[in-house]
Coordinates of all heavy atoms in Angstrom, one line a residue:
Chain A
S156 N -42.1 -13.0 -9.8 CA -40.7 -13.1 -10.3 C -39.8 -12.4 -9.3 O -40.0 -11.2 -8.9 CB -40.5 -12.4 -11.6 OG -41.1 -13.2 -12.7
K189 N 4.6 -16.8 -13.5 CA 5.8 -17.4 -14.1 C 6.8 -16.2 -14.3 O 8.1 -16.6 -14.2 CB 5.4 -18.0 -15.5 CG 6.6 -18.8 -16.1 CD 6.1 -19.5 -17.4 CE 7.3 -20.1 -18.0 NZ 7.0 -20.4 -19.5
E252 N -27.6 -1.9 1.7 CA -28.8 -2.2 2.4 C -29.4 -0.9 3.0 O -30.6 -0.6 2.9 CB -28.6 -3.2 3.5 CG -28.4 -4.6 3.0 CD -28.2 -5.7 4.0 OE1 -27.9 -5.2 5.2 OE2 -28.2 -6.8 3.7
G317 N -2.7 -26.8 -1.3 CA -1.3 -27.2 -1.0 C -0.2 -26.7 -1.8 O 1.0 -27.1 -1.7
D321 N -0.8 -21.7 -6.6 CA -2.2 -21.7 -6.6 C -2.8 -20.9 -5.6 O -3.8 -20.2 -5.8 CB -2.8 -23.2 -6.5 CG -3.0 -23.8 -7.9 OD1 -3.6 -23.1 -8.7 OD2 -2.5 -24.9 -8.1
A353 N -17.7 12.5 -10.8 CA -16.6 12.5 -11.9 C -16.1 14.0 -12.2 O -15.9 14.4 -13.3 CB -17.0 11.9 -13.3
C446 N -10.2 0.6 10.5 CA -9.1 1.5 10.7 C -9.3 2.5 12.0 O -8.8 3.6 12.1 CB -8.8 2.4 9.5 SG -8.2 1.6 8.1
E490 N -24.4 13.2 31.2 CA -24.2 13.1 32.7 C -23.1 12.2 33.0 O -22.8 12.0 34.2 CB -25.5 12.7 33.4 CG -26.6 13.7 33.1 CD -26.3 15.1 33.6 OE1 -25.6 15.3 34.6 OE2 -26.7 16.0 32.9
K521 N -13.1 21.4 26.6 CA -12.0 20.8 25.8 C -11.0 20.1 26.6 O -9.7 20.3 26.4 CB -11.4 21.8 24.9 CG -12.4 22.5 23.9 CD -12.9 21.6 22.9 CE -14.0 22.3 22.0 NZ -14.7 21.3 21.2
E533 N 9.0 18.2 33.2 CA 9.0 17.4 34.5 C 8.9 15.9 34.2 O 9.6 15.1 34.8 CB 7.8 17.8 35.2 CG 8.0 19.2 35.9 CD 6.7 19.6 36.7 OE1 5.7 18.8 36.7 OE2 6.6 20.7 37.1
C581 N 1.3 5.3 16.8 CA 0.9 4.0 17.3 C 0.8 3.9 18.9 O 0.0 3.1 19.3 CB 1.7 2.9 16.7 SG 3.5 2.9 17.3
I606 N 1.3 21.8 15.2 CA -0.1 21.3 15.0 C -1.1 22.5 14.7 O -2.0 22.2 13.8 CB -0.4 20.6 16.2 CG1 0.4 19.2 16.3 CG2 -2.0 20.2 16.3 CD1 0.2 18.4 17.6
N690 N 0.4 24.6 -1.8 CA -0.3 23.3 -1.6 C -0.5 22.6 -3.0 O -0.9 23.2 -3.9 CB -1.6 23.4 -0.9 CG -2.5 22.2 -0.7 OD1 -3.1 21.8 -1.7 ND2 -2.5 21.7 0.4
H744 N -1.7 -4.7 -18.9 CA -0.4 -5.0 -18.7 C 0.7 -4.6 -19.7 O 1.8 -4.2 -19.4 CB -0.3 -6.6 -18.4 CG 1.0 -7.1 -18.0 ND1 1.6 -6.7 -16.8 CD2 1.8 -8.0 -18.5 CE1 2.8 -7.3 -16.7 NE2 3.0 -8.0 -17.6
N840 N 4.3 -1.8 -25.4 CA 3.7 -1.1 -26.6 C 4.1 0.2 -26.8 O 3.7 0.9 -27.9 CB 2.0 -1.2 -26.3 CG 1.3 -0.7 -27.5 OD1 1.2 -1.4 -28.4 ND2 0.7 0.5 -27.3
A876 N 15.5 5.1 -32.2 CA 14.5 6.1 -32.0 C 14.0 6.3 -30.6 O 13.3 7.2 -30.3 CB 13.4 5.8 -33.0

Side-chain angles (χ1 to χ4, degrees):
Chain A
S156 288
K189 188 178 173 196
E252 282 180 352
D321 269 311
C446 299
E490 298 304 324
K521 304 295 180 193
E533 283 173 8
C581 67
I606 289 171
N690 177 280
H744 182 59
N840 190 66

